[in-house]
Amino acid sequence: MKNVKPVSSDEKLLINLGTFKVCPTCILFIRGEGNYSNIFLKDGRKVLSCRTLKFFETLLQDYGFIRPSKSALVNPTYISSIDLKIAKVIKLNNDVNISISRRQVRPLRDFFSNKHALVGVS
């Protein structure tokens, strides 16, 4: 696999996934599956990692990644809309829906209220 180039030249962190390195700003979301994680990139590729979602949550917390459920970690940059009332889903720019657990509805509402990023939030 080819390496993903950083989005900006001042980007210093590349996540090492074995022989594959990726810039955090290139990650749309990460879906956890047991002790493995599928990393979905903005160029449409999917990378399987033997790391847990908890590992990536700790690594990417400085980049503002949010954890709407036990099985997903989302880059808020690529969120197109959020439904916190009826469907309880986050819709990404690539039309992927990530479900929000019922326990995360209030923390996510508070997070987006404080950030004034209520784009498409209902």
Side-chain angles (χ1 to χ4, degrees), residues 89-103:
V89 296
I90 294 174
K91 186 172 185 177
L92 300 177
N93 292 343
N94 63 347
D95 293 328
V96 171
N97 290 331
I98 307 290
S99 63
I100 301 171
S101 69
R102 63 184 168 82
R103 292 182 183 194

Side-chain angles (χ1 to χ4, degrees), residues 66-69 74 79-91 97-122:
I66 57 174
R67 187 139 182 206
S69 67
V74 177
I79 294 175
S80 63
S81 66
I82 302 172
D83 181 0
L84 294 170
K85 293 182 180 176
I86 298 169
K88 295 181 178 59
V89 296
I90 294 174
K91 186 172 185 177
N97 290 331
I98 307 290
S99 63
I100 301 171
S101 69
R102 63 184 168 82
R103 292 182 183 194
Q104 291 299 323
V105 171
R106 180 170 283 153
L108 285 176
R109 182 177 287 130
D110 294 343
F111 174 79
F112 286 107
S113 295
N114 292 337
K115 296 280 186 179
H116 304 289
L118 293 173
V119 178
V121 175
S122 57

